[in-house]
Amino acid sequence: KSKSWKGLTVDPEKAKEKKSGDKKSFESILQSILNPSSAADLYSADDMLVKLFDYQRDAVKLLIENNYALLADEFGSGKTISAISSIKLLLKKGKIKNVFIVSPSYYSGDTLLTERTGMPVGWSGHLRTWAPELSVSDLHGTEDEIIKGLKKTAQVYLTTYETFYGGLDAKILDSDKFKKIDCIIFDDVQNLAQAKHKLGKLFGSIKTKYIWCLSNLPLEKIQEEIDGILKPVLTHAKSS
């Protein structure tokens, strides 16, 4: 797997394509089961992949084939679903045991509203809809509540940038806490730029297998900035 950042920008026009449940798409998945190679052996016919658009499956491929990936596309293109699909695939294969997701507070989600409306709201709503079998620990509230949430054995730890930064300041979140985390997802990753002075020590010491960044901004506008913020991760990975 690559030790450098890989980026993907999706053509919005592809959103108009038919979903991947057609005969050709299903046969391609089946073929990957019969003749597995590289990341293709992670797929199975009963996975949620058959429900995705082709461009979303391209996004899944980008994520699971790279330790460090930047997925940039406009809001509403299905980046959350693609990321959850990737999480499920890696968990199923045993490549990871857990994931730590940081998102803006407005997109952390609402499981109750999701249940009432039948529409997934934010990360927690999408996880409830697309991956109800996964155990989720929401990290929010007081320092004691966050510590309690971190102590839970969960497959997904979900928090906001505000809580993430607060945890760094209070030293609740540090490199020791991330030693047991296999995958970190930063949604709307441009938010990291607001506190990049706090992140150098953390990113220079963690050995997380996967770090995936999602953004609503065009790839060319964000890649250079993210490279600068997360450069310690790559430097540490290449030297370890």
Side-chain angles (χ1 to χ4, degrees):
K1 287 180 180 175
S2 173
K3 287 294 186 182
S4 60
W5 289 98
K6 299 295 182 182
L8 174 69
T9 300
V10 176
D11 182 354
E13 289 301 312
K14 290 186 178 181
K16 299 178 182 179
E17 295 177 0
K18 292 182 179 180
K19 289 188 177 181
S20 299
D22 58 24
K23 182 178 179 181
K24 181 178 179 180
S25 298
F26 183 83
E27 286 180 350
S28 66
I29 297 175
L30 183 60
Q31 184 66 21
S32 70
I33 302 169
L34 298 176
N35 298 290
S37 61
S38 66
D41 65 342
L42 295 176
Y43 300 164
S44 65
D46 62 346
D47 274 313
M48 61 189 289
L49 284 177
V50 298
K51 302 177 182 178
L52 301 184
F53 290 103
D54 287 335
Y55 75 93
Q56 291 173 323
R57 289 181 59 204
D58 289 341
V60 172
K61 186 175 186 293
L62 171 84
L63 295 177
I64 66 176
E65 289 186 343
N66 293 279
N67 296 83
Y68 309 108
L70 171 58
L71 183 60
D73 196 17
E74 62 184 19
F75 183 81
S77 59
K79 295 185 296 297
T80 304
I81 295 174
S82 297
I84 292 174
S85 300
S86 303
I87 292 169
K88 291 182 65 173
L89 287 168
L90 293 183
L91 284 168
K92 183 174 183 178
K93 189 64 177 179
K95 297 289 186 180
I96 62 173
K97 294 182 179 179
N98 51 44
V99 59
F100 191 98
I101 301 171
V102 185
S103 79
S105 56
Y106 68 82
Y107 199 62
S108 60
D110 189 321
T111 55
L112 183 58
L113 186 58
T114 295
E115 291 174 355
R116 287 179 175 176
T117 64
M119 298 292 291
V121 179
W123 273 98
S124 59
H126 278 80
L127 286 165
R128 175 65 64 88
T129 301
W130 290 86
E133 74 279 9
L134 300 185
S135 56
V136 180
S137 178
D138 287 304
L139 306 180
H140 62 275
T142 66
E143 290 185 11
D144 288 340
E145 289 173 327
I146 296 171
I147 292 173
K148 184 178 180 180
L150 286 168
K151 289 182 178 179
K152 291 181 179 179
T153 301
Q155 292 166 302
V156 179
Y157 296 90
L158 180 61
T159 193
T160 65
Y161 280 99
E162 291 82 358
T163 300
F164 179 68
Y165 294 145
L168 291 177
D169 290 338
K171 297 183 179 180
I172 297 173
L173 295 173
D174 54 28
S175 57
D176 288 336
K177 293 292 189 302
F178 284 100
K179 285 181 179 179
K180 297 181 179 180
I181 300 297
D182 295 321
C183 176
I184 302 176
I185 297 176
F186 292 107
D187 192 10
D188 269 7
V189 64
Q190 58 269 21
N191 284 277
L192 288 178
Q194 301 175 11
K196 58 184 178 182
H197 60 285
K198 300 180 181 181
L199 306 175
K201 185 177 180 180
L202 173 65
F203 287 158
S205 59
I206 59 177
K207 297 182 179 180
T208 304
K209 294 178 183 178
Y210 298 89
I211 297 182
W212 298 335
C213 299
L214 313 181
S215 178
N216 295 326
L217 300 179
L219 184 63
E220 62 273 11
K221 288 187 177 182
I222 193 170
Q223 189 162 12
E224 183 176 350
E225 183 174 31
I226 297 309
D227 283 346
I229 295 172
L230 300 180
K231 184 177 180 179
V233 177
L234 295 181
T235 303
H236 184 69
K238 290 175 181 178
S239 62
S240 59

